[in-house]
């Protein structure tokens, strides 16, 4: 037997299978790159917002994007701004921190206030807003630029009023004036203020005590005014009742006098005798003493005889 036939040769590599694996890996990598690229090219704008597309190296690019999905060039970025109503609360009882602030009044008092306002950004001015604020998002603009403009507007208004007016008497007037100044300060920058209101006003303890005393005094004065008005009404009522009674008595007296006059005019001797007989019960008076006599009118006997003869 030939020794050459017994020599074992090494197995040759499976070249087709290796090529398939390399091709599959390349396809997988390509798919991953496509997915990553597609992800980078898609941008979703939330409802109520609009987006400004910009390049980190070239600034603002393209039109403003409305809500929904959009395809953008790779490696571009989008910053969203609210174009529908956003409400901002600046209060002492905030979830994260105390966002209230102190203001001064005309009489030198310090007052702590909470405020609430609503706003939106003009869609046509979003590129300018992006440029002015160097790409800052809306919450940073609210906490910085907008809050500073709000403090300035409030301070400019409240220094024209004393603490009692700020706390109650002129509160609606203050709301209106601060709203107008705050709105006018932001409008040129593309920020539209819709509403403003002081949600809480907290004077210092001394001022609050003085305000309460003034309120109590005013309430007492109002009570006295009401009582005086009630007394006046009651006196007027009694006067009217007295006048009514007096007039009734005058009318009654006049009626009685007229009745007496008519009665006097109608009396005659015959009528008197007639009324006397009509009221007689038929019994003769009882007489005592020898000289007692009963005098009746003579014509009464005549009348009685005539009536009997008949």
């Amino acid at each position: 037997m030939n020794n050459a036939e017994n020599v074992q040769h090494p197995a040759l590599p499976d070249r087709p299978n290796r090529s398939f694996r390399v091709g599959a890996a390349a396809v997988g990598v390509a798919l991953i790159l496509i997915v990553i690229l597609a992800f980078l090219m898609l941008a979703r704008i939330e409802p109520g917002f609009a987006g400004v597309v910009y390049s980190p190296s070239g600034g603002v690019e393209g039109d403003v994007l409305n809500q929904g999905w959009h395809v953008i060039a790779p490696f571009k970025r989008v910053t969203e701004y609210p174009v529908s109503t956003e409400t901002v609360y600046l209060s002492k009882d905030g979830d994260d921190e105390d966002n209230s602030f102190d203001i001064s009044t005309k009489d030198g008092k310090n007052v702590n206030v909470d405020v609430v306002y609503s706003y939106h950004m003009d869609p046509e001015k979003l590129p300018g807003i992006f440029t002015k604020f160097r790409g800052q998002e809306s919450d940073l603009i609210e906490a910085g630029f907008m809050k500073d403009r709000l403090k300035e507007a409030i301070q400019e208004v409240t220094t024209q009023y004393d603490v009692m007016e700020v706390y109650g008497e002129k509160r609606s007037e203050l709301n209106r004036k601060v709203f107008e100044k705050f709105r006018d300060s932001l409008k040129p920058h593309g920020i539209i203020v819709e509403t403003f209101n002081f949600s809480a006003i907290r004077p210092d303890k001394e001022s609050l005590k003085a305000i309460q005393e003034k309120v109590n005094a005013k309430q007492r004065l109002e009570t006295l005014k009401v009582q005086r008005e009630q007394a006046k009404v009651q006196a007027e009522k009694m006067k009217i009742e007295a006048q009514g009674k007096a007039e009734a008595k005058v009318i009654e007296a006049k009626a009685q006098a007229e009745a007496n006059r008519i009665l006097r005019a109608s009396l005659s001797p015959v009528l008197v005798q007639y009324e006397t007989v009509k009221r007689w019960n038929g019994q003769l008076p009882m007489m005592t003493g020898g000289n007692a006599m009963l005098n009746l009118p003579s014509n009464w006997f005549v009348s009685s005889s005539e009536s009997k003869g008949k």
Side-chain angles (χ1 to χ4, degrees):
M1 191 173 186
N2 190 349
N3 292 332
E5 294 179 357
N6 295 329
V7 176
Q8 295 181 354
H9 299 281
L12 296 175
D14 191 357
R15 292 181 179 177
N17 290 337
R18 182 178 180 184
S19 298
F20 175 79
R21 288 195 295 270
V22 172
V27 171
V29 171
L31 289 175
I32 292 173
L33 291 175
I34 291 172
V35 170
I36 294 174
L37 183 62
F39 178 78
L40 293 174
M41 294 177 64
L42 286 177
R44 182 176 184 271
I45 307 301
E46 297 291 336
F49 286 77
V52 175
V53 181
Y54 68 96
S55 169
S57 59
V60 178
E61 297 184 7
D63 297 328
V64 173
L65 304 180
N66 296 322
Q67 68 180 46
W69 288 99
H70 299 271
V71 177
I72 61 174
F75 309 109
K76 296 293 176 68
R77 300 288 183 269
V78 178
T79 297
E80 297 181 42
Y81 294 103
V83 292
S84 61
T85 302
E86 285 284 300
T87 302
V88 180
Y89 298 91
L90 299 175
S91 66
K92 194 176 187 67
D93 301 323
D95 295 334
D96 300 327
E97 58 180 337
D98 181 2
N99 288 313
S100 65
F101 45 88
D102 296 329
I103 59 175
S104 299
T105 61
K106 184 173 67 176
D107 49 355
K109 299 293 185 179
N110 290 323
V111 179
N112 183 259
V113 297
D114 295 347
V115 302
V116 56
Y117 68 89
S118 60
Y119 79 99
H120 70 273
M121 293 184 174
D122 187 347
E124 297 181 357
K125 295 185 177 181
L126 289 185
I129 293 173
F130 178 90
T131 302
K132 175 179 176 59
F133 297 104
R134 300 179 181 181
Q136 286 185 346
E137 296 183 354
S138 58
D139 55 347
L140 294 177
I141 298 174
E142 289 173 12
F145 179 79
M146 294 174 66
K147 188 173 183 180
D148 291 342
R149 299 293 83 72
L150 177 58
K151 286 183 177 180
E152 290 175 2
I154 292 176
Q155 195 63 57
E156 186 176 346
V157 172
T158 56
T159 51
Q160 302 173 18
Y161 299 87
D162 61 42
V163 65
M164 291 189 179
E165 292 174 330
V166 170
Y167 186 70
E169 296 177 5
K170 300 293 183 67
R171 186 162 174 170
S172 60
E173 185 176 316
L174 261 68
N175 281 335
R176 177 179 56 81
K177 288 187 175 182
V178 171
F179 166 68
E180 292 172 353
K181 288 188 176 296
F182 186 40
R183 177 197 61 194
D184 294 345
S185 68
L186 294 182
K187 187 175 181 179
H189 306 290
I191 303 172
I192 311 302
V193 178
E194 300 175 10
T195 62
F196 169 84
N197 187 52
F198 286 106
S199 54
I201 297 177
R202 291 177 288 269
D204 59 84
K205 292 182 179 180
E206 181 181 349
S207 298
L208 190 60
K209 182 180 178 181
I211 291 170
Q212 188 59 53
E213 290 175 353
K214 183 176 180 180
V215 170
N216 293 340
K218 186 176 181 180
Q219 289 177 342
R220 288 192 295 269
L221 180 61
E222 292 297 326
T223 300
L224 290 174
K225 287 182 180 179
V226 171
Q227 290 175 347
R228 282 199 297 268
E229 290 298 324
Q230 290 176 343
K232 186 185 296 184
V233 170
Q234 185 65 24
E236 188 68 22
K237 180 180 178 182
M238 294 175 64
K239 179 180 178 181
I240 293 172
E241 290 178 353
Q243 288 178 345
K245 290 179 180 179
E247 291 175 359
K249 289 182 178 180
V250 170
I251 294 172
E252 182 181 358
K254 288 181 178 180
Q256 185 63 47
E258 182 64 17
N260 292 340
R261 186 189 66 78
I262 296 172
L263 180 61
R264 285 194 302 270
S266 63
L267 288 177
S268 66
V270 175
L271 180 59
V272 173
Q273 292 175 3
Y274 172 74
E275 290 297 329
T276 302
V277 172
K278 189 169 65 172
R279 287 173 173 74
W280 184 47
N281 60 6
Q283 296 180 357
L284 293 174
M286 299 298 293
M287 302 297 175
T288 59
N291 296 326
M293 294 182 65
L294 176 63
N295 291 324
L296 289 175
S298 59
N299 56 357
W300 180 83
F301 293 102
V302 175
S303 299
S304 298
S305 299
E306 290 177 355
S307 61
K308 288 179 180 181
K310 292 179 181 181

